[in-house]
């Protein structure tokens, strides 16, 4: 058990932003960098730990659960996108009550190519479980899957940031509505019979109900690929009336954790590999003694059913909102050092935050003070309509200082022109990193693959003016473009789009070939090489200034393609200086080096490797530059 009062510098789990204001912030760690592996004989492995939360008399404003993954000590990161669950197993000590409430659902990444120092973290708001996260709580991390467990796994940390203070709404009770794996598409076990209407009795003083749902689709039937790869809708009915409907689907090409070793770009049934699921929340008024709740899935039958919808749906009954005007900062997106916002950071303009209306009245206007810590603030006046309990993402104009403390602060003021009823979550600090600084003359080096119709790019300034672009649909296959960019001093963003969501290369789409994108300076030196396996987009923010950053000696463009082959694969290499390059082909599993090549004074070229003499298997194509691993890609030799 671990419980910490955070004063001053916070740990890695909160080092990207800090709440400031009234009340204490606690960090409670249940699973402290534990090594998580599969149990192939059972398909699941559980890790239970006890943690101590505040007593029930202590008011709780907010609870955020944070999950951190890293590669285990003396092992490599695991390979497959397995389903993991974080569950409140028991409350009230070892003799306390069994609960089995799933508060988090994690889909593990394809980690086969991650380096030993790789790490990533996610977060989800779990304030709805504040009635259960009290006193001694047994928390279970359940890791599923069947891959080998002797040489791979994950190092996992589960922690809770808990803010004391008056809640926006006081919870009264929490009830399971659905909790299980439900067959989908099987006429012998129709899902509509399993997802029956559930009646609940209104609690005394209850004014609002919240239905909180975690749902993901799994299985692989024919011919539709349900439930993992089919896009179906779900309805939420209250008292037999439709309240909301949504597609159980998620696009994965913008996953902030990229690239991964497997099919990470493929859209799935409300999840992506390397993803902590965010719940669906539906708030409704409790207006009579009894109500019924029901979820309904789109009608579907499969001739060969194997699909399952994994649903954990809980009803939380709340008292009325405490105050009329109460707004909170939920997150800082720009600027940020958070891993989940790394696709669009660092950046030099466009401060962006997420706010939530915690008041009983619709939020129609708000003043936002923002700026670098210790300097004069900017004022942005927001207008809109934000209903109670709703969130909104607000992007503001303005530059983000690139020198100084590199701490940006936001403060919300005057919701609806009134005094905020709870100021403790009106203020947030965000630590961030500066953008790279380049010279005024740059060259965008673009080599298209065989699907150029998906691609286009533009460069915009801080005001949103498009300075250079090649529109989607105008590029030619297998063509080199070298666009000269003449830029004044200022802040810029390069945005490269792939409407197909498969980047300039993807291992599964061999016929599409491989392209590459590189930003060069006026002397042809690499200032930034972009990974071709990027999914849907590349966002690169930079500044043009009087003192450009030094050209990094280790800035290299490299890649091997195809990575599924029965004969040849090709390795492209471009560096700023001649390097000593060592290439190893390594058997997986086993680690046997089956081929090794050393190239001295290698600066640019394309190498051909004939793999036809090797048996069908998986291999790692590992590249060392001056004895340091710079590239590790999995290959599959097929018959």
């Amino acid at each position: 058990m671990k419980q910490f009062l955070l004063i001053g510098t916070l740990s890695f789990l909160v080092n990207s932003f800090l709440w400031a204001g009234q009340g204490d912030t606690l960090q409670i760690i249940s699973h402290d960098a534990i090594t998580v592996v599969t149990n192939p004989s059972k398909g699941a492995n559980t890790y239970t730990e006890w943690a101590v939360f505040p007593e029930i008399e202590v008011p709780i404003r907010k609870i955020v659960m944070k999950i951190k993954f890293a590669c285990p000590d003396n092992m490599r990161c695991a390979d497959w996108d397995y389903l993991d669950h974080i569950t409140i197993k028991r409350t009230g000590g070892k003799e306390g009550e069994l609960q089995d409430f799933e508060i988090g659902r994690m889909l593990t990444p394809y980690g086969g190519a991650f380096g030993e120092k790789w790490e990533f973290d996610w977060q989800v708001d779990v304030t709805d479980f504040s009635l259960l996260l009290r006193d001694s709580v047994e928390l279970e991390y359940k890791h599923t899957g069947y891959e080998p467990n002797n040489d791979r796994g994950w190092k996992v940390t589960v922690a809770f940031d808990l803010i004391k203070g008056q809640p926006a709404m006081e919870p009264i009770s929490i009830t399971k509505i659905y909790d299980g794996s439900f067959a989908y598409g099987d006429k012998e076990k129709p899902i509509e019979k399993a997802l029956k209407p559930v009646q609940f009795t209104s609690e005394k003083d209850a004014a609002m109900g919240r239905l909180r749902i975690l749902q993901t689709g799994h299985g692989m039937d024919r011919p539709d690929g349900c439930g993992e790869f089919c896009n179906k809708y779900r309805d939420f009915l209250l008292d037999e009336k439709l309240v909301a409907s949504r597609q159980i689907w998620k696009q994965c090409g913008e996953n902030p954790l990229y690239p991964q070793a497997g099919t990470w770009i493929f859209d799935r049934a409300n999840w992506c590999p390397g993803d902590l699921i965010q719940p669906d929340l539906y708030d409704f008024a409790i207006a009579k003694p009894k109500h019924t709740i029901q979820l309904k899935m789109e009608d579907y039958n499969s001739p060969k059913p194997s699909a399952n919808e994994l649903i954990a749906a809980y009803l939380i009954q709340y008292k009325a909102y405490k105050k009329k005007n109460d707004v909170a900062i939920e997150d800082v997106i720009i600027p940020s050092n958070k891993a989940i916002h790394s696709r669009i950071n660092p950046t030099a303009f466009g401060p962006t935050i997420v706010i939530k209306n915690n008041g009983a009245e619709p939020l129609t206007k708000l003043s936002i003070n923002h700026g670098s810590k210790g300097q004069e603030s900017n004022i942005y006046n927001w207008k809109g309509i934000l209903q109670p309990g709703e969130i909104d993402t607000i992007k503001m104009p303005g530059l983000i200082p690139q020198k100084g403390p590199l701490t940006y602060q936001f403060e919300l003021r005057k919701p609806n022109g009134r005094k905020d009823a709870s100021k403790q979550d009106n203020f947030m600090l965000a630590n961030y990193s500066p953008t790279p600084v380049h010279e005024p003359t740059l060259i965008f080096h673009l080599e298209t693959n065989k699907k150029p119709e998906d691609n286009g790019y533009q460069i915009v300034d801080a005001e949103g003016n498009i300075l250079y672009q090649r529109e989607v649909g105008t590029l030619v296959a297998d063509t080199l473009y070298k666009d000269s960019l003449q830029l004044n001093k200022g802040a810029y963003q390069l945005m490269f789009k792939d409407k197909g969501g498969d980047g300039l290369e993807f291992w599964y789409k061999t016929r599409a070939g491989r392209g590459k994108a590189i930003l060069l300076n006026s002397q042809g030196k690499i200032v930034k090489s972009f990974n071709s396996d990027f999914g849907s987009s590349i966002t690169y923010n930079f500044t043009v200034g009087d003192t450009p950053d030094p050209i990094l000696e280790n800035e290299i463009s490299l890649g091997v393609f195809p990575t599924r082959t029965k004969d040849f694969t090709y390795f492209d290499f471009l560096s700023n200086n001649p390097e000593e390059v060592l290439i190893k082909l390594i058997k997986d599993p086993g680690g046997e080096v089956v081929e090794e090549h050393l190239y001295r004074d290698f600066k640019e070229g394309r190498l051909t490797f004939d793999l036809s003499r090797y048996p069908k298997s998986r291999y790692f194509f590992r590249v060392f530059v001056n004895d340091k691993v710079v590239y590790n890609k999995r290959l599959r030799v097929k018959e």
Side-chain angles (χ1 to χ4, degrees):
M1 299 180 192
K2 298 178 181 67
Q3 181 171 342
F4 303 95
L5 174 62
L6 299 184
I7 304 175
T9 302
L10 303 186
S11 74
F12 74 91
L13 288 168
V14 287
N15 66 5
S16 180
F17 66 91
L18 308 178
W19 285 282
Q22 303 168 358
D24 295 327
T25 298
L26 303 176
Q27 185 182 79
I28 300 160
I29 299 177
S30 62
H31 297 70
D32 193 357
I34 65 168
T35 296
V36 170
V37 297
T38 66
N39 183 341
S41 66
K42 296 183 178 180
N45 219 356
T46 58
Y47 302 83
T48 58
E49 300 285 350
W50 286 88
V52 180
F53 290 81
E55 297 176 353
I56 193 67
E57 294 81 12
V58 177
I60 293 177
R61 178 73 175 179
K62 187 182 182 73
I63 309 175
V64 175
M65 182 173 69
K66 299 189 174 182
I67 310 294
K68 180 168 185 171
F69 270 40
C71 295
D73 299 333
N74 304 315
M75 298 174 74
R76 65 179 176 89
C77 277
D79 288 335
W80 288 97
D81 55 333
Y82 287 133
L83 180 67
D84 290 4
H85 308 268
I86 302 95
T87 303
I88 298 173
K89 294 299 291 182
R90 189 186 299 271
T91 56
K94 293 183 178 180
E95 303 302 321
E97 186 177 357
L98 284 171
Q99 299 289 355
D100 276 330
F101 279 82
E102 184 182 10
I103 61 173
R105 187 175 300 175
M106 182 76 206
L107 280 303
T108 62
Y110 292 103
F114 294 160
E116 61 181 14
K117 294 183 179 180
W118 172 88
E119 61 182 33
F120 206 88
D121 48 272
W122 302 261
Q123 68 181 52
V124 62
D125 189 316
V126 293
T127 312
D128 289 324
F129 298 99
S130 63
L131 285 173
L132 299 175
L133 293 171
R134 298 288 186 164
D135 300 313
S136 293
V137 179
E138 185 183 36
L139 290 147
E140 177 187 86
Y141 189 95
K142 182 178 181 180
H143 179 51
T144 69
Y146 296 91
E147 67 183 323
N149 62 10
N150 59 333
D151 65 345
R152 69 201 73 183
W154 302 105
K155 185 193 294 184
V156 176
T157 299
V158 180
F160 298 83
D161 287 349
L162 187 149
I163 302 173
K164 294 181 181 179
Q166 185 184 67
M169 300 177 296
E170 184 179 339
I172 304 172
S173 65
I174 182 168
T175 307
K176 293 181 184 180
I177 302 299
Y178 305 109
D179 193 356
S181 180
F182 301 91
Y184 186 42
D186 188 344
K187 63 181 180 181
E188 301 299 324
K189 294 181 285 186
I191 196 168
E192 56 267 24
K193 287 190 176 181
L195 298 177
K196 296 179 179 178
V198 177
Q199 186 179 84
F200 72 89
T201 300
S202 304
E203 302 281 1
K204 181 183 178 182
D205 297 329
M208 192 197 83
R210 170 172 291 165
L211 186 64
R212 180 189 179 94
I213 307 170
L214 289 176
Q215 180 173 353
T216 50
H218 304 274
M220 189 66 175
D221 66 19
R222 295 290 185 268
D224 295 324
C226 283
E228 183 171 344
F229 294 110
C230 66
N231 186 351
K232 303 296 183 181
Y233 68 80
R234 179 199 69 212
D235 291 337
F236 163 42
L237 284 76
L238 178 67
D239 299 330
E240 301 182 345
K241 295 180 180 179
L242 181 65
V243 174
S245 183
R246 66 152 293 191
Q247 299 299 129
I248 304 302
W249 197 241
K250 187 168 185 177
Q251 295 180 326
C252 295
E254 289 291 345
N255 193 332
L257 176 51
Y258 79 98
Q260 298 179 37
T263 57
W264 69 272
I265 66 166
F266 289 0
D267 302 340
R268 287 171 165 86
N270 204 36
W271 62 274
C272 299
D275 185 22
L276 180 63
I277 305 302
Q278 301 298 310
D280 295 325
L281 303 176
Y282 300 106
D283 292 353
F284 55 90
I286 292 179
K288 57 184 183 179
K290 293 186 182 295
H291 293 273
T292 59
I293 286 175
Q294 186 177 19
L295 298 182
K296 283 188 175 182
M297 287 298 298
E298 179 179 345
D299 289 340
Y300 173 69
N301 282 301
S302 170
K304 296 182 179 180
S306 72
N308 288 279
E309 295 296 320
L310 203 60
I311 303 173
Y314 307 127
L315 170 69
I316 304 94
Q317 295 191 49
Y318 284 98
K319 293 181 181 180
Y321 280 96
K322 293 281 188 181
K323 304 295 180 180
K324 290 183 178 180
N325 299 293
D326 184 358
V327 65
I329 302 180
E330 293 290 289
D331 196 9
V332 175
I333 298 176
I334 294 175
S336 175
N337 282 335
K338 280 188 180 181
I340 55 174
H341 301 319
S342 57
R343 271 194 180 261
I344 54 176
N345 281 288
T347 186
F349 57 88
T352 304
I353 61 173
V354 179
I355 67 168
K356 182 179 181 180
N357 182 11
N358 283 328
E361 297 291 331
L363 182 68
T364 59
K365 62 182 180 178
L366 177 70
S367 179
I368 305 173
N369 285 27
H370 64 96
S372 185
K373 184 179 180 181
Q375 299 183 13
E376 185 177 354
S377 295
N378 305 294
I379 299 176
Y380 179 78
N381 293 312
W382 173 89
K383 292 184 178 181
I385 299 178
L386 198 61
Q387 297 296 331
E390 290 185 346
I391 63 172
D392 191 22
T393 299
I394 301 175
K395 184 173 184 178
M396 292 161 271
L399 296 174
I400 296 168
Q402 299 298 292
K403 294 181 180 180
L406 298 183
T407 301
Y408 207 85
Q409 58 190 25
F410 297 87
E411 184 178 10
L412 308 183
R413 295 182 176 180
K414 295 290 186 180
N416 292 330
R418 306 277 182 167
K419 180 181 178 181
D420 195 299
S422 179
K423 294 185 177 180
Q424 72 179 93
D425 42 21
N426 290 164
F427 185 85
M428 193 174 283
L429 295 173
N431 299 323
Y432 64 98
S433 301
T435 59
V437 182
H438 300 317
E439 63 183 57
T441 300
L442 298 169
I443 299 167
F444 186 52
H445 174 115
L446 172 63
E447 297 180 35
T448 59
N449 62 11
K450 300 182 187 302
K451 289 186 62 181
E453 64 275 10
D454 288 345
N455 301 134
Y457 84 90
Q458 57 182 220
I459 292 177
V460 301
D461 62 18
E463 286 74 43
N465 300 308
I466 300 174
L467 307 179
Y468 296 92
Q469 71 173 332
R470 287 189 182 270
E471 295 184 2
V472 173
T474 64
L475 299 171
V476 178
D478 294 324
T479 300
L480 170 62
Y481 296 87
K482 298 187 78 170
D483 293 345
S484 180
L485 314 174
Q486 301 294 328
L487 301 170
N488 297 323
K489 284 192 286 187
Y492 300 93
Q493 182 181 86
L494 166 64
M495 172 66 79
F496 190 94
K497 287 285 189 181
D498 186 286
K499 68 177 184 180
D502 53 8
L504 287 170
E505 73 164 283
F506 188 60
W507 64 270
Y508 187 79
K509 299 187 177 183
T510 303
R511 292 183 181 179
R514 179 177 187 269
K516 53 187 176 182
I518 309 170
L519 198 61
L520 308 170
N521 70 2
S522 58
Q523 289 78 46
K525 294 278 190 178
I526 302 172
V527 297
K528 179 64 178 177
S529 176
F530 301 102
N531 196 313
S532 297
D533 184 9
F534 59 78
S536 296
S537 69
I538 296 169
T539 300
Y540 181 66
N541 298 287
F542 62 96
T543 302
V544 170
D546 292 327
T547 309
D549 294 338
I551 299 297
L552 297 178
E553 297 301 316
N554 61 352
E555 192 68 41
I556 297 170
S557 172
L558 74 170
V560 63
F561 199 85
T563 56
R564 294 195 306 167
T565 182
K566 61 181 178 180
D567 43 42
F568 297 100
T569 192
Y570 305 92
F571 176 65
D572 286 310
F573 185 84
L574 173 64
S575 67
N576 286 330
N577 300 288
E579 307 285 1
E580 182 176 278
V581 179
L582 175 65
I583 298 174
K584 293 182 180 182
L585 189 68
I586 303 170
K587 186 79 161 47
D588 178 41
E592 177 190 358
V593 178
V594 299
E595 192 169 319
E596 184 173 311
H597 302 275
L598 179 64
Y599 302 89
R600 301 186 188 278
D601 297 327
F602 189 31
K603 186 176 185 295
E604 182 178 4
R606 191 182 208 205
L607 306 175
T608 302
F609 292 84
D610 184 1
L611 306 181
S612 61
R613 61 186 179 277
Y614 295 117
K616 177 183 177 182
S617 186
R618 295 186 304 184
Y619 301 84
F620 282 109
F621 191 96
R622 194 166 295 165
V623 180
F624 301 77
V625 174
N626 298 322
D627 296 324
K628 181 180 179 182
V629 177
V630 297
Y631 187 79
N632 187 39
K633 194 79 169 183
R634 176 173 286 162
L635 301 180
R636 184 183 295 274
V637 175
K638 57 183 183 178
E639 294 177 353

